[in-house]
Amino acid sequence: MKIGIIGNPGSGKSSIFKSLTGIKEEHRESMSIGVVEISDERVEQLHSLYPEKKKVYSRIDILDEGIFDAGNEKIRTADAYLLIIGAFFGEEPHTVWENIKSDMIVADQDIVERRLKRLEKEHKKENEKEKSLLMEVLDVLEKENRLIDSEIIESEILKGYNFLTFKKVFAVINIKEGQEENNQIYKSENIGIPSLVFKGKLEADLQYLDESERKEYMELYGMKESAIARLVNTLYSEIGLITFFTVGKDEVRAWRLKDGSNASQAAGGIHSDMERGFIKAEVISIDELLKAGGEKEAKEMGLIRLVGKDYCVKDGDILKIRFA
Ligand SMILES: Nc1nc2c(ncn2[C@@H]2O[C@H](COP(=O)(O)OP(=O)(O)O)[C@@H](O)[C@H]2O)c(=O)[nH]1
Ligand SMILES: [Mg+2]
């Protein structure tokens, strides 16, 4: 999953990038992408049963491209966006979002119009389906709506365009030390998109401390969770993501999955061969396994179930895929 940081110049994009990734300016020369491991205590718990194996966490890529430019191809490849709002110098969240939203709509319109022109020129019969879909898209955009808020069904054709308005945007309200956190104007009902309040500069400065010092400071400032932990919680609940686990030959590993996915889709997230050749999956929840005290015990107690490809995977499931 790739998250793109966007926002006006000086809103604190790079500070937030630092607070999320821990990557400092002096190392940023060639690094506008930060890879963050998502800490999950269930990985440690599972690992305690298999201490000889490696731990692998799921990851998020965070992209800070400097300035936000709707035409920037790299920023377009993100799966979702964080819109940084410089509330520390008075940016008003709703206004900033409305402006960015218009920019995104215009940029998408431009893509559709150019593509339609190409298709017109080609005069091919097989283009008709794409053309009518794009006309539908244009209609949504001309009414100043985002594609994500429209009735247009998620179409494979549309995915290829990387439309900006097809992706979720989260507002990150960047406030300074001492500024009121619970201001009504920071609430998602007021802005129109889910929002989070960060003290960007402070949290970025915490990255210069070692872990124990950082914990002390976080307590001192009344911060319960790190910036990245809060972001991950919001992303997972708003996008509808869950975590399942595997115990492989060499590693215990956490995987991200869209909530509501079945066992064969989960297998596909690991490897396409596993989805294609899916036979059955062995399933046990991590809680059950920990309670049983180990795989052998769980087997003896009959806690490991054999399920087919339609089994709906739950958060915290451990899966072993059988495939041919
Ligand atoms: N006081 C204060 N200054 C901030 C905060 N966040 C960023 N800044 C400052 O604003 C300036 C621009 O921040 P930067 O992260 O580079 O913004 P960018 O242009 O969006 O990448 C820098 O001088 C930061 O130190 C904040 O929360 N409080
Ligand atoms: Mg910057």
Side-chain angles (χ1 to χ4, degrees):
M1 186 165 61
K2 203 193 282 176
I3 304 293
I5 296 184
I6 61 176
N8 291 325
S11 58
K13 295 183 293 300
S14 298
S15 310
I16 302 271
F17 176 82
K18 193 205 283 174
S19 72
L20 293 171
T21 61
I23 299 173
K24 300 161 193 142
E25 285 87 12
E26 55 268 37
H27 305 299
R28 285 210 52 181
E29 290 296 307
S30 57
M31 259 204 266
S32 64
I33 289 199
V35 181
V36 183
E37 286 188 335
I38 300 178
S39 77
D40 186 332
E41 61 177 14
R42 294 174 298 179
V43 173
E44 329 295 335
Q45 291 168 339
L46 189 55
H47 184 252
S48 70
L49 300 176
Y50 307 92
E52 73 288 356
K53 297 186 200 275
K54 240 176 41 182
K55 289 180 273 189
V56 183
Y57 299 86
S58 57
R59 296 170 166 204
I60 299 187
D61 290 354
I62 299 189
L63 192 58
D64 176 10
E65 274 294 289
I67 53 159
F68 174 59
D69 168 7
N72 176 337
E73 283 307 313
K74 225 181 194 175
I75 201 82
R76 272 189 178 276
T77 62
D79 302 300
Y81 294 100
L82 295 187
L83 170 59
I84 312 303
I85 292 161
F88 68 91
F89 68 83
E91 280 198 322
E92 205 276 319
H94 179 73
T95 314
V96 172
W97 166 231
E98 285 298 318
N99 288 336
I100 292 274
K101 185 164 91 178
S102 308
D103 289 352
M104 288 180 155
I105 289 174
V106 170
D108 281 356
Q109 255 172 319
D110 190 47
I111 291 182
V112 176
E113 278 159 3
R114 267 190 284 162
R115 179 70 185 160
L116 276 172
K117 238 181 231 160
R118 280 266 300 276
L119 294 175
E120 287 299 341
K121 260 194 210 144
E122 282 180 11
H123 263 306
K124 281 189 196 148
K125 201 154 180 244
E126 64 265 32
N127 290 343
E128 289 308 313
K129 199 172 151 219
E130 186 181 352
K131 253 162 70 180
S132 74
L133 184 64
L134 288 176
M135 293 300 286
E136 234 183 291
V137 168
L138 200 55
D139 191 50
V140 171
L141 297 171
E142 279 172 350
K143 292 186 176 120
E144 290 175 32
N145 290 315
R146 292 194 299 159
L147 294 170
I148 198 173
D149 299 328
S150 78
E151 302 282 291
I152 292 188
I153 27 150
E154 211 170 306
S155 152
E156 284 305 313
I157 307 181
L158 285 189
K159 274 189 195 155
Y161 290 103
N162 274 325
F163 286 128
L164 292 169
T165 69
F166 212 34
K167 297 169 189 179
K168 281 216 152 123
V169 183
F170 297 84
V172 172
I173 318 294
N174 186 15
I175 61 170
K176 61 184 172 198
E177 242 337 273
Q179 208 173 345
E180 171 67 59
E181 272 179 60
N182 289 318
N183 196 322
Q184 198 53 36
I185 67 166
Y186 303 159
K187 301 266 189 277
S188 45
E189 306 87 79
N190 174 62
I191 309 169
I193 45 174
S195 72
L196 283 148
V197 179
F198 278 6
K199 289 177 186 143
K201 179 117 179 16
L202 175 67
E203 306 208 37
D205 290 343
L206 291 180
Q207 301 293 342
Y208 288 102
L209 306 174
D210 63 36
E211 211 175 308
S212 66
E213 273 183 309
R214 193 181 314 150
K215 276 200 180 121
E216 253 174 63
Y217 270 91
M218 282 175 64
E219 253 167 57
L220 190 69
Y221 287 109
M223 300 197 261
K224 287 190 195 71
E225 283 180 306
S226 64
I228 187 72
R230 272 182 297 143
L231 173 65
V232 166
N233 285 341
T234 304
L235 289 178
Y236 274 53
S237 66
E238 293 287 338
I239 300 177
L241 298 168
I242 60 169
T243 304
F244 74 91
F245 302 89
T246 54
V247 178
K249 197 158 72 58
D250 314 307
E251 59 188 34
V252 294
R253 180 159 181 169
W255 303 84
R256 174 172 38 245
L257 185 67
K258 193 107 196 196
D259 195 9
S261 302
N262 62 32
S264 115
Q265 289 164 325
I270 300 172
H271 201 291
S272 53
D273 287 349
M274 282 195 175
E275 184 169 11
R276 237 176 281 123
F278 186 97
I279 301 169
K280 291 267 176 198
E282 291 175 30
V283 185
I284 181 169
S285 77
I286 190 162
D287 290 341
E288 283 176 310
L289 180 68
L290 292 168
K291 224 187 270 166
E295 209 173 304
K296 191 168 141 276
E297 292 82 351
K299 238 175 227 156
E300 284 164 5
M301 293 159 81
L303 294 173
I304 301 180
R305 289 160 292 151
L306 206 57
V307 299
K309 66 174 200 251
D310 293 329
Y311 169 77
C312 181
V313 178
K314 317 260 178 322
D315 186 56
D317 275 351
I318 303 167
L319 297 184
K320 190 182 274 173
I321 313 287
R322 294 188 191 166
F323 66 109

